[in-house]
């Protein structure tokens, strides 16, 4: 194992690997500043660039971005009080308070150093996990691997924020969508409706960018103004370094909490940072300064912020269970290269495992260094209105989605799923289980049929490993059910307020007509899948029917709850909010951009869409629109000569 680790370190002397690592690090830092993108957007946008690369270069690019995305999202949280991601909102409590006192440099020093240390400790944790977990992983057979895939979807649904029934329904629908295309057991086509385009299944990049990227843009595109309040960096760099050294125990504790939060599927960086903040408060003798500029309120959460991404990679690489959405996409990339996480990656690709470890550690150091050197320039980007950024992001995301299959159909799928992703987010459905289910659909089915063919009946369920995984699967569900019963009892203590529920800023349309419609869409989708699967062969329809029936049960429960809520509600919650209208208008703009691309070609569509969107939607100045469009056009024109990227050609281009 030491030989593999040293060989992986030596391979980083390859200039192509170092360049990819640097590009990934810079891209991750920039995307971390943009609200709503984070690690999901960074990996999804960079993933298409990896097609055609060798696995080491592709991994260096993606790991570089993933390792630092939580380093830069602190900049806007500290300087503007507007965190670049949900997890950075914890740092905002004490960091923004320091900045308002003229101590922004001190807060950023604490944050950058803690992020760097958290990334390094996370890489060490991943390193230690390899020899510790290796005997266990190598003992796994198909029954354990099947249970692990089930566990990955179930835990992501149970442990993610929001309603457990909504989480399970989203995970099951992701499984159904992942089964579109050729069956891994019988090689017959399923859910394609005679379409050659759907025969190869749906593009992972299109699904991820639609559900998360375009949905986030539509949710935030109404933000036409930047931050007006200006906070200077001030001094305190040296004081920040001294304070960071004095709180080294908080750094280690925060990083360990982050690793643990990453290992648990569906928990993620937001929960990890809040847990780290909670332990910092709980172990402090003097708690009065927390929330007012206490350095301990920055050090712990920031170290957890970065280590959680390394923790995510432990179950992803060793067991094939994505710990979060970015690692789910990384898993999808590995599968396209024929690299199967689990026993095979340890026996056949151990050098790639250690390459990931080294890349994560080096990128964490480079990310902190770049932030120190360029914090003034990075801060300027946070003042740009999101509506202005949205125009370029739409163009980049659509171009990225085109790279995997080279078909315009992927772009239409992406926009359709973007609308669906916005509906999920706005009505309180967790989206992480959906994408994790999509990624794990084919491995789940493949391992099930291997298990079914090798064992008589349900004898495989008596294996010790399977029993352990069953216990891990059932216990969180029991705990979630107990919490639900307790919450109901507590609510019923006051009959006068039992119908009142707290507002959810991330789900403004929860308990509205939109929420009822979303539940209906789930039920219809599962019913359609069940009916369509009746025409498949017995082997090809078994798993789709099991998933569809389970989905019908959960979506039926959801429909019942939604209808009962409508009947009991004294006043119906408004459905057509201003944000909903603006989001749907944004999707209309995206559809127009796609139509222009299909007819005129990508570059011409960009020249029309970008200035129109900036002037009409973002209400930017004419000078800004002209410069923005010109720079983007030149970059896109030069891109195919620098990277393995193809630009979509329109109907007129083919005629000419």
């Amino acid at each position: 194992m030491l030989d593999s680790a040293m060989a992986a370190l030596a391979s980083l002397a390859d200039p192509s690997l170092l360049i990819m690592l640097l590009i990934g690090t810079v891209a991750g830092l920039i995307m971390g500043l943009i609200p709503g993108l984070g690690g999901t957007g960074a990996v999804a946008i960079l993933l298409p660039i990896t097609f055609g690369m060798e696995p080491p270069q592709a991994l260096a690019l993606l790991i570089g971005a993933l390792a630092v995305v939580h380093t830069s999202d602190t900049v806007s949280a500290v300087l503007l009080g507007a965190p670049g991601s949900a997890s950075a909102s914890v740092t905002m409590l004490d960091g923004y308070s320091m900045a308002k006192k003229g101590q922004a440099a001190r807060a950023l020093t604490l944050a950058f150093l803690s992020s760097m240390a958290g990334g390094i400790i996370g890489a060490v944790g991943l390193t230690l996990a390899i020899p510790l977990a290796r005997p266990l992983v190598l003992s796994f057979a198909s029954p354990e691997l099947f249970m692990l895939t089930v566990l990955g979807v179930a835990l992501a649904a149970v442990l993610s924020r929001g309603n457990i029934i909504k989480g399970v329904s989203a995970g099951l629908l992701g499984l159904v969508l992942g089964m579109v295309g050729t069956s891994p057991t019988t090689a017959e086509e399923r859910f394609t409706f005679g379409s050659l385009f759907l025969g190869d299944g749906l593009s992972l990049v299109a699904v991820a960018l639609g559900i998360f990227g375009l949905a986030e843009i539509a949710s935030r595109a109404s933000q036409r103004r930047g931050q007006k309040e200006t906070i200077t960096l001030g001094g305190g760099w040296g004081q920040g370094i001294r304070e960071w050294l004095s709180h080294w125990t908080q750094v280690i504790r925060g990083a360990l909490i982050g690793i643990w939060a990453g290992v648990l599927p569906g928990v993620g960086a937001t929960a990890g940072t809040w847990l780290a903040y909670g332990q910092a408060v709980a172990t402090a003798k003097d708690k009065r300064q927390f929330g007012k500029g206490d350095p301990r309120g920055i050090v712990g959460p920031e170290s957890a912020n970065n280590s959680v991404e390394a923790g995510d990679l432990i179950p992803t690489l060793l067991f094939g269970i994505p710990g979060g959405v970015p690692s789910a996409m990384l898993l999808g990339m590995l599968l396209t290269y024929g690299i199967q996480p689990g026993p095979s990656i340890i026996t056949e690709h151990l050098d790639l495992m250690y390459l990931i470890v080294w890349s994560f550690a080096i990128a964490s150091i480079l990310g902190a260094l770049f932030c120190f050197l360029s914090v003034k320039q990075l801060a300027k980007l946070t003042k740009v209105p999101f509506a202005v950024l949205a125009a370029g992001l739409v163009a980049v995301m659509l171009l990225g989605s085109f790279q995997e299959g080279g078909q315009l159909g992927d772009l239409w799928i992406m926009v359709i799923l973007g609308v669906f992703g916005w509906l999920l987010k706005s009505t309180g459905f967790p989206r992480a289980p959906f994408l994790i289910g999509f990624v794990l659909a084919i491995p789940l089915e493949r391992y099930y049929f291997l298990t079914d063919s090798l064992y008589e009946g349900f004898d495989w369920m008596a294996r010790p490993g399977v029993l352990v995984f069953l216990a891990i699967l059932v216990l969180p569900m029991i705990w979630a059910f107990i919490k639900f019963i307790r919450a109901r009892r507590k609510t019923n203590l006051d009959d006068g307020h039992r119908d009142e529920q707290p507002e959810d800023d991330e789900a403004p349309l929860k308990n509205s007509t939109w929420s009822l419609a979303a539940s209906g869409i789930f039920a219809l989708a599962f019913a359609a899948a069940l009916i369509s699967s009746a025409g498949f062969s017995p082997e090809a329809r078994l798993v789709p029917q099991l998933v569809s029936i389970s989905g019908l049960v959960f979506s039926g429960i959801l429909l019942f709850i939604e209808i009962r809520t409508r009947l009991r509600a004294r006043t119906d919650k408004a459905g057509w909010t201003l944000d909903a209208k603006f989001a749907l208008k944004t999707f209309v703009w995206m559809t127009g951009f796609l139509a222009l691309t299909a007819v005129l070609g990508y570059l011409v569509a960009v020249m029309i869409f970008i200035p129109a969107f900036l002037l009409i939607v973002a209400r930017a100045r004419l000078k800004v629109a002209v410069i923005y469009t010109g720079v983007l056009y030149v970059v896109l024109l030069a891109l195919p000569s620098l990277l393995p990227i193809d630009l979509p050609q329109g109907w007129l281009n083919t005629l000419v």
Side-chain angles (χ1 to χ4, degrees):
M1 295 183 74
L2 181 61
D3 293 339
S4 298
M6 291 298 102
L9 179 60
S11 68
L12 283 170
D14 183 350
S16 64
L17 273 180
L18 280 178
I19 290 172
M20 287 299 107
L21 185 62
L22 286 172
I23 292 174
T25 301
V26 173
L29 291 174
I30 294 173
M31 293 177 198
L33 288 166
I34 302 172
L37 286 186
T40 301
V43 175
I45 290 174
L46 293 175
L47 189 59
I49 301 175
T50 64
F51 301 139
M53 292 184 183
E54 292 297 318
Q57 281 78 7
L59 284 172
L61 179 71
L62 296 182
I63 295 299
L66 196 59
V68 302
V69 74
H70 289 303
T71 304
S72 60
D73 64 7
T74 307
V75 175
S76 56
V78 171
L79 294 180
L80 305 172
S85 68
S87 58
S89 60
V90 188
T91 307
M92 183 184 69
L93 297 175
D94 289 283
Y96 190 50
S97 297
M98 280 190 190
K100 288 190 289 186
K101 299 175 184 176
Q103 301 172 350
R106 173 190 171 206
L108 290 172
T109 301
L110 290 166
F112 295 155
L113 290 175
S114 299
S115 293
M116 178 188 70
I120 295 172
I121 294 172
V124 172
L126 180 57
T127 306
L128 295 177
I130 296 172
L132 292 176
R134 182 174 182 173
L136 178 65
V137 174
L138 293 178
S139 68
F140 286 172
S142 57
E144 286 82 7
L145 293 172
F146 167 68
M147 283 304 303
L148 276 172
T149 55
V150 174
L151 199 64
V153 180
L155 286 184
V158 173
L159 298 177
S160 58
R161 182 171 175 260
N163 189 313
I164 182 176
I165 301 176
K166 289 184 175 181
V168 174
S169 299
L172 290 171
L173 189 59
L175 285 172
V176 171
L177 204 67
M179 294 176 189
V180 173
T182 306
S183 167
T185 55
T186 63
E188 66 181 279
E189 293 187 349
R190 301 179 302 189
F191 306 122
T192 61
F193 309 104
S195 169
L196 293 175
F197 165 68
L198 294 176
D200 293 329
L202 298 180
S203 161
L204 170 62
V205 178
V207 173
L209 282 176
I211 290 291
F212 286 92
L214 295 189
E216 201 67 39
I217 287 174
S219 297
R220 298 177 181 269
S222 59
Q223 299 172 5
R224 295 169 172 161
R225 296 181 179 178
Q227 297 286 336
K228 291 184 178 180
E229 185 179 356
T230 303
I231 292 178
T232 57
L233 286 173
W237 299 104
Q239 182 184 356
I241 294 173
R242 289 191 296 271
E243 283 184 328
W244 181 78
L245 291 172
S246 66
H247 294 300
W248 63 272
T249 56
Q250 290 288 350
V251 174
I252 295 175
R253 278 184 285 184
L256 293 178
I257 290 172
I259 293 172
W260 177 244
V263 169
L264 296 175
V267 176
T270 304
T273 49
W274 278 110
L275 287 171
Y277 189 82
Q279 70 82 27
V281 175
T283 56
K285 294 181 180 179
D286 182 10
K287 302 176 174 60
R288 290 174 296 178
Q289 292 302 312
F290 279 95
K292 301 176 183 178
D294 195 308
R296 293 169 294 183
I298 299 175
V299 169
E302 279 301 308
S303 59
N305 226 352
N306 275 40
S307 66
V308 73
E309 300 298 344
D312 276 350
L313 296 174
I314 294 174
T316 303
L317 298 173
L318 298 180
F319 303 108
I321 301 179
V325 175
S327 52
M329 288 185 283
L330 188 67
L331 174 60
M333 186 214 76
L334 291 173
L335 293 174
T336 59
Y337 281 106
I339 301 172
Q340 186 72 44
S344 63
I345 198 172
I346 291 179
T347 55
E348 301 171 18
H349 303 285
L350 193 59
D351 55 332
L352 289 181
M353 287 279 292
Y354 283 110
L355 176 65
I356 291 172
V357 171
W358 287 114
S359 298
F360 203 98
I362 293 171
S364 297
I365 298 171
L366 290 175
L369 179 62
F370 288 164
C371 281
F372 273 118
L373 296 176
S374 60
V375 64
K376 292 182 180 180
Q377 288 70 31
L378 290 174
K380 293 177 182 177
L381 184 59
T382 63
K383 298 178 183 179
V384 179
F386 190 83
V388 174
L389 295 173
L393 287 174
V394 169
V396 170
M397 287 182 181
L398 290 174
L399 179 62
S401 179
F402 181 77
Q403 302 311 306
E404 184 171 358
Q407 300 185 72
L408 286 175
D410 288 331
L411 307 188
W412 290 107
I413 292 292
M414 179 179 166
V415 172
I416 292 169
L417 289 177
V419 177
F420 184 61
W422 170 82
L423 183 63
L424 292 183
K425 179 186 177 184
S426 301
T427 54
F429 282 86
R431 292 172 290 170
F434 179 88
L435 187 63
I436 291 174
F438 176 81
V439 172
L440 293 180
I442 297 302
L444 180 144
E445 191 169 7
R446 184 181 293 118
Y447 291 137
Y448 175 78
F449 275 96
L450 280 173
T451 301
D452 188 56
S453 61
L454 293 174
Y455 293 85
E456 289 289 335
F458 292 98
D459 291 347
W460 58 273
M461 294 191 71
R463 290 174 63 93
V466 173
L467 293 175
V468 171
F469 293 142
L470 277 173
I472 296 173
L473 177 64
V474 172
L475 288 176
M477 293 185 176
I478 295 174
W479 176 243
F481 180 73
I482 292 172
K483 288 200 299 181
F484 173 76
I485 296 298
R486 285 180 178 176
R488 293 290 298 173
R489 287 179 179 176
K490 187 176 180 180
T491 303
N492 290 333
L493 290 177
D494 185 358
D495 290 337
H497 299 279
R498 64 182 177 184
D499 292 325
E500 296 179 10
Q501 295 184 9
E503 294 292 329
D504 188 349
D505 293 335
E506 290 295 316
L509 301 178
K510 188 177 180 181
N511 299 323
S512 71
T513 307
W514 289 94
S515 186
L516 176 63
S519 302
I521 291 172
F522 270 80
L524 287 173
F526 287 123
L530 183 61
I531 294 170
S532 298
S533 61
F536 305 154
S537 66
E539 294 81 7
R541 70 168 176 251
L542 178 59
V543 176
Q545 285 189 338
L546 287 174
V547 174
S548 300
I549 292 170
S550 302
L552 272 176
V553 171
F554 282 98
S555 59
I557 296 172
L558 270 181
L559 268 177
F560 172 75
I561 294 173
E562 289 290 340
I563 293 171
R564 188 182 65 173
T565 303
R566 299 276 73 71
L567 294 175
R568 287 186 176 185
R570 294 167 187 167
T571 56
D572 192 23
K573 193 173 179 180
W576 279 101
T577 62
L578 289 175
D579 287 341
K581 291 178 182 178
F582 203 96
L584 293 180
K585 287 180 182 178
T586 304
F587 283 118
V588 171
W589 276 89
M590 294 177 191
T591 304
F593 180 37
L594 267 186
L596 287 172
T597 301
V599 176
L600 304 175
Y602 180 74
L603 286 176
V604 177
V606 166
M607 292 294 289
I608 298 172
F609 169 77
I610 296 295
F613 190 92
L614 290 173
L615 293 172
I616 298 172
V617 179
R619 296 180 183 174
R621 296 177 180 178
L622 180 61
K623 181 181 178 181
V624 172
V626 171
I627 296 174
Y628 191 125
T629 307
V631 171
L632 185 62
Y633 181 81
V634 171
V635 171
L636 292 174
L637 196 63
L639 211 53
S641 60
L642 300 174
L643 294 170
I645 284 178
D646 295 320
L647 301 179
Q649 301 299 312
W651 175 68
L652 287 180
N653 296 103
T654 58
L655 289 180
V656 174

